[in-house]
Amino acid sequence: ADEKLKVFHMYDDQLSLAKILLNRANIFFRLSRFQEALENFEEAHLLFSRQNAQTYAAIAQMNQANVQMTLDDFLGAEQNYREARLVFESKEMTRFLALTDHNLAELLLYQGSYQQALQLFDKARQIYLTQDNSVDIAYADLYRSEVYLALNLWEEALELTTTARKPFEEADMAWETGRLWLNEAVALAHLKDGRSP
């Protein structure tokens, strides 16, 4: 990425430069180098905006919001999610709308706004259903189960953990599968009838 950035700087290829910054930011994010990820997403967003590449700018902005949420900058994250969402809505980018709603719901969950979070997770899930994407549906159900646990709705949480696990297991997604097992254990521990899965 660093080598390509030098070349694109040399030829003043702003669009390619922004794309490399976007990719490098994703790598920094996965390496938990959050400040560097944030700086690269911000720079990519600025360059895309200058090139009037609205879709790419919105994607950079949504990713920037993901980092801000990780860094507990909830207000900044919400603003960026909502601005990116307007672009996805105007361009009828359904899957990106669902992803943005899912991210906003996650933000609301972390802030303790459980009812609002549940509504947005449901909204995102409806879009995932139309696209027949079992992993995205499972992600929505994983987070819905966490809302139910927060609301002490043990039966509802238990039902979601058992139905959501299969797509993650089939895709060998160990972290997500493990998280559902944990949520199931919490739900079972609170159920008075002590039934097993």
Side-chain angles (χ1 to χ4, degrees):
D2 291 342
E3 288 302 314
K4 288 181 187 261
L5 285 172
K6 289 176 188 173
V7 173
F8 294 139
H9 269 299
M10 186 187 311
Y11 290 97
D12 196 30
D13 185 345
Q14 298 291 297
L15 192 57
S16 297
L17 187 62
K19 288 177 182 178
I20 293 295
L21 287 168
L22 183 65
N23 290 330
R24 188 170 71 171
N26 280 315
I27 294 168
F28 282 140
F29 185 69
R30 292 182 186 278
L31 292 171
S32 299
R33 292 165 61 176
F34 301 123
Q35 195 55 46
E36 290 163 290
L38 187 60
E39 289 165 6
N40 278 256
F41 282 133
E42 287 172 346
E43 191 176 350
H45 175 253
L46 182 64
L47 290 173
F48 285 133
S49 298
R50 286 179 182 164
Q51 298 295 309
N52 202 29
Q54 290 183 317
T55 301
Y56 278 115
I59 291 169
Q61 198 166 19
M62 184 174 68
N63 283 305
Q64 182 181 331
N66 290 340
V67 181
Q68 288 172 307
M69 184 163 54
T70 302
L71 295 173
D72 296 332
D73 177 8
F74 295 147
L75 290 176
E78 183 177 1
Q79 181 180 341
N80 279 317
Y81 282 138
R82 294 203 184 279
E83 288 177 11
R85 192 185 191 287
L86 290 173
V87 175
F88 299 141
E89 190 171 32
S90 72
K91 295 185 176 293
E92 299 181 1
M93 298 174 68
T94 311
R95 184 164 190 276
F96 280 97
L97 269 174
L99 289 172
T100 308
D101 283 342
H102 183 106
N103 289 334
L104 276 166
E106 207 175 321
L107 182 63
L108 289 164
L109 170 61
Y110 294 152
Q111 293 176 302
S113 300
Y114 302 127
Q115 294 297 339
Q116 289 176 283
L118 198 55
Q119 288 172 0
L120 272 180
F121 282 131
D122 288 343
K123 190 176 176 182
R125 189 179 192 279
Q126 290 307 309
I127 295 174
Y128 296 148
L129 281 170
T130 65
Q131 298 172 342
D132 198 27
N133 188 325
S134 61
V135 170
D136 282 345
I137 294 166
Y139 265 117
D141 287 343
L142 164 61
Y143 283 97
R144 287 169 69 224
S145 76
E146 300 208 347
V147 177
Y148 285 139
L149 289 177
L151 292 170
N152 299 332
L153 297 171
W154 315 121
E155 290 277 359
E156 291 84 347
L158 182 63
E159 183 180 342
L160 282 176
T161 59
T162 53
T163 57
R165 196 165 45 241
K166 186 178 178 184
F168 290 139
E169 288 175 338
E170 288 176 350
D172 289 325
M173 298 171 73
W175 184 86
E176 290 81 0
T177 303
R179 194 159 166 184
L180 282 166
W181 277 114
L182 178 62
N183 287 357
E184 182 173 336
V186 171
L188 283 169
H190 286 89
L191 283 170
K192 291 180 181 177
D193 64 2
R195 72 177 161 157
S196 57

